[in-house]
Amino acid sequence: MDAHELITRNAAEVVTEAEIEALADDPEGKRAYVGYEPSGVLHIGHMLTANKLIDLQEAGFEVTVLLADVHAYLNDKGSFEEIRHTAERMRDQFIAYGLDESNTQFVLGSDFQLDDDYTLDLHALELETTLARAERAMAEISSGDSVKVSQAVYPLMQALDIPYLGVDLAVGGMEQRKVHMLARDVLPSIDREPPTSLHTPLIADLGTGRGKMSSSEGVTISMEDSRGDIESKVNDAYCPPTADPEPTEDGVERENPVLQVFEYHVFPRFDSVVVERPEEYGGDLEYDGYDDLEADLESGELHPADAKGALAEYLDRLIAPGREQLAE
Ligand SMILES: N[C@@H](Cc1ccc(O)cc1)C(=O)O
């Protein structure tokens, strides 16, 4: 796979295509980051962007993981002490998941976000931004109806992190796109380059195929799950024999989350996938890429129950190192 393909595979969008192209062609010195609010344990949402960071490392990027402790605090995720503690645990889980410490830089937000220069630049961005714009940028990041002042400061800090970390590419889920657009608009006002961004798709809830998989509602997979937990969640997952299910009766769009997890979590991390089947049902199936697996599910060659069995097996392999880490 060439650099451009590695960078863009499984991305829902890049802003802009031309800027990505230029980064792909740049042989050295390119840097990317993802920021995470430390809270709870690593789950499949974090792992999706972590997979992208692993692709980017392979494509020659230097990668930074920002453990955004101040952001978590501003977004009401607990006391600063608790968040700090969670940040340390999270870092260890990312390493267990495969973000090699030798080429991943882990940075704590509070290590630079409380400096004088940062604070003054932040105030300059506050002057450039209406409350309404800041609030819109946060719509898919913070929950709750009334936005606090802290949550209006949040996206401006996220924008400012990009030049302060010295990165060329900001990576995040689709829910981060409005913050990245805001960053493109406001950073030039303080003589900083507008950043390039890449967004990963949102994966549907495992149980229903609707909405998005999240740690706060519905069914997700986390590093705390035992093999048995994974098996029962995957077993109960929504998996019609198509990649393009009909909407529900009341018109809610649905995805096939089992296929999505194969596409965005399993295939990026394994060279091939074996679906074990007894001889009388045709024996094992082996796939070198996602498309063939999807085609077999659609044609009926691969039964959803067998697909689920294999998914549980591979998810377990992805989770195991983190689970062991947590048990320490
Ligand atoms: N907004 C991100 C966290 C984050 C914070 C600061 C950043 O610079 C980047 C990302 C989230 O929703 O989890």
Side-chain angles (χ1 to χ4, degrees):
M1 222 181 274
D2 68 13
H4 184 263
E5 245 178 287
L6 268 171
I7 298 170
T8 56
R9 74 161 165 179
N10 290 342
E13 73 167 358
V14 294
V15 185
T16 65
E17 193 52 64
E19 292 170 20
I20 288 283
E21 204 71 61
L23 280 174
D25 293 340
D26 190 349
E28 56 194 291
K30 42 192 177 201
R31 306 189 54 191
Y33 98 115
V34 181
Y36 302 95
E37 288 183 19
S39 84
V41 291
L42 225 63
H43 57 73
I44 212 157
H46 302 113
M47 293 182 301
L48 187 60
T49 40
N51 285 342
K52 183 41 70 189
L53 291 180
I54 293 169
D55 287 344
L56 292 170
Q57 286 177 330
E58 239 176 280
F61 276 78
E62 277 177 45
V63 158
T64 297
V65 168
L66 173 68
L67 299 166
D69 53 353
V70 178
H71 282 87
Y73 184 66
L74 291 171
N75 206 12
D76 210 6
K77 298 290 166 66
S79 76
F80 204 68
E81 310 292 78
E82 280 163 9
I83 293 168
R84 263 292 175 73
H85 180 69
T86 311
E88 270 163 45
R89 290 181 41 208
M90 227 182 176
R91 173 178 170 280
D92 295 341
Q93 289 166 42
F94 275 116
I95 293 169
Y97 185 66
L99 281 169
D100 192 346
E101 236 184 328
S102 65
N103 54 7
T104 306
Q105 208 190 347
F106 290 90
V107 178
L108 215 50
S110 54
D111 281 348
F112 64 97
Q113 292 160 346
L114 306 172
D115 292 353
D116 297 354
D117 290 355
Y118 186 98
T119 306
L120 270 179
D121 274 339
L122 175 61
H123 293 330
L125 297 183
E126 289 162 3
L127 275 168
E128 288 295 319
T129 312
T130 64
L131 268 176
R133 177 86 196 261
E135 194 171 339
R136 277 205 304 280
M138 287 302 281
E140 287 163 61
I141 294 175
S142 67
S143 44
D145 308 327
S146 59
V147 177
K148 308 261 180 64
V149 174
S150 65
Q151 289 160 338
V153 173
Y154 179 123
L156 295 175
M157 286 181 58
Q158 185 167 339
L160 199 53
D161 290 345
I162 300 167
Y164 272 81
L165 290 169
V167 296
D168 314 290
L169 179 64
V171 176
M174 274 302 263
E175 76 287 352
Q176 309 292 320
R177 78 181 304 276
K178 287 195 177 126
V179 176
H180 292 150
M181 297 306 151
L182 175 64
R184 281 178 83 84
D185 289 347
V186 296
L187 287 175
S189 73
I190 54 164
D191 292 328
R192 305 292 199 155
E193 295 281 312
T196 306
S197 58
L198 182 153
H199 302 122
T200 56
L202 302 174
I203 295 198
D205 175 65
L206 201 55
T208 61
R210 290 185 304 222
K212 68 167 186 181
M213 208 188 279
S214 92
S215 51
S216 46
E217 297 157 41
V219 183
T220 185
I221 303 278
S222 88
M223 282 204 163
E224 253 168 1
D225 287 337
S226 66
R227 166 99 197 196
D229 294 335
I230 295 177
E231 278 170 2
S232 76
K233 287 178 185 179
V234 172
N235 203 23
D236 293 343
Y238 174 67
C239 183
T242 168
D244 205 6
E246 297 285 318
T248 60
E249 274 167 29
D250 35 12
V252 183
E253 289 294 327
R254 275 190 290 198
E255 303 286 342
N256 183 324
V258 168
L259 285 179
Q260 287 185 318
V261 176
F262 268 116
E263 183 172 12
Y264 299 115
H265 289 279
V266 177
F267 280 99
R269 302 294 306 280
F270 295 93
D271 291 332
S272 76
V273 168
V274 176
V275 179
E276 290 182 9
R277 284 193 312 193
E279 275 317 316
E280 65 265 38
Y281 294 112
D284 294 356
L285 291 164
E286 185 167 351
Y287 299 99
D288 296 331
Y290 167 74
D291 291 342
D292 294 339
L293 185 144
E294 180 190 304
D296 273 6
L297 187 81
E298 295 208 316
S299 74
E301 172 66 21
L302 171 62
H303 191 276
D306 292 325
K308 287 179 175 182
L311 185 64
E313 164 67 28
Y314 284 89
L315 272 178
D316 186 57
R317 287 196 216 170
L318 284 174
I319 296 292
R323 185 193 295 142
E324 282 156 26
Q325 218 288 318
L326 274 167
E328 270 173 24

